[in-house]
Amino acid sequence: DGFFVFLFKQKTADEIYQCDWSSDVCSSDLDATKIDIRGGATAAGTIGVDGNLKQLGIRGGQAGAITVGGEAKKIDIRDGMNAAVTVGKLLKTFNAAGGNATGALTAGAIGKAQFKTANGVAGAIETTGLNGDATQGYLTQLKVSTGAVNAAVKVTGDAGKIDVKGGTTAAATIDVDGNLKQLSIRGGQA
C-alpha cells in the first residue's frame, strides 16, 4: 500500500570522469559540458574528449595537447598556448590571449578564432574539412592582434575574414582553397 519515489541526477562527463588535471593525461569518452582549469595546471598534461565539448577555459598557460573528437563550442586559453589544439569537427569559438601562441590550431572547420598574444602566433592554423569533405573546412573569421604571424594559415574551404594587425606576417603563408571574402594586414607583411 506504499509507494517509492526514486530521485536521481544524471551526471556530466566532468562529474563522472574525475582526474587530477595536473597529471600527464586526462581524458573522457563522453561529452564534456565545462572544464575550467586555473593556475597553469596543464603544464605537461593532455586533455582529451572523444565526444563534444561545450566549454574549456584555461588560465595560467597551456603546455599539454588538447584534443576534442567532436565539436567544440568554446575554447579560451589565457597566458600562453604552447601545444596543439585539435578539434575533429566544428570549433565555434577559439580565443588565445597573453604570452605566445606556438601550438598549432587544427579543426574540421572554424567559426571564429582570435589571438591577442604578446609575442604573436607561431603555430599553424588549419581547417581539414567536415564529414570527409575538405571543401567544407571553412573559416568564418580569424583575428590576430599584436605580435607577428610566423605560421601557415591553411583553409581547405571558404574563408570569410582574415584580419592581422599590429605585427608582421614574416614567415607566414595564407592559403585558402576556396573563396576569400576579406584579407586585411596592418603593420607589415613579408
Side-chain angles (χ1 to χ4, degrees):
D1 286 23
F3 64 93
F4 294 95
V5 175
F6 293 97
L7 299 173
F8 65 92
K9 177 185 174 219
Q10 184 175 356
K11 293 187 175 189
T12 66
D14 305 295
E15 295 168 319
I16 293 170
Y17 189 85
Q18 296 291 323
C19 75
D20 176 5
W21 289 103
S22 63
S23 69
D24 289 342
V25 178
C26 292
S27 64
S28 172
D29 59 358
L30 303 170
D31 289 352
T33 303
K34 182 177 181 182
I35 301 171
D36 194 16
I37 301 169
R38 298 179 183 272
T42 59
T46 298
I47 298 172
V49 176
D50 289 341
N52 298 320
L53 173 65
K54 188 170 183 180
Q55 183 176 342
L56 170 63
I58 297 176
R59 306 289 182 272
Q62 172 252 344
I66 298 169
T67 304
V68 178
E71 290 188 4
K73 187 170 183 181
K74 182 177 182 181
I75 297 177
D76 189 16
I77 300 172
R78 304 291 172 159
D79 303 319
M81 172 192 162
N82 301 306
V85 174
T86 305
V87 177
K89 295 184 179 179
L90 173 63
L91 171 57
K92 291 184 180 178
T93 304
F94 178 84
N95 294 306
N100 298 321
T102 58
L105 173 61
T106 305
I110 300 173
K112 179 180 179 182
Q114 182 169 305
F115 293 86
K116 288 184 178 180
T117 57
N119 298 317
V121 179
I125 300 165
E126 180 178 9
T127 64
T128 57
L130 296 172
N131 305 315
D133 184 357
T135 62
Q136 291 185 18
Y138 64 87
L139 170 67
T140 305
Q141 182 178 8
L142 171 63
K143 191 174 203 177
V144 180
S145 301
T146 71
V149 178
N150 292 311
V153 175
K154 171 70 174 159
V155 181
T156 60
D158 292 341
K161 181 178 181 181
I162 298 175
D163 186 12
V164 180
K165 63 181 171 183
T168 63
T169 54
T173 59
I174 298 173
D175 183 7
V176 178
D177 290 347
N179 297 312
L180 174 61
K181 188 172 183 179
Q182 181 179 349
L183 174 63
S184 177
I185 299 174
R186 288 166 283 204
Q189 183 264 337

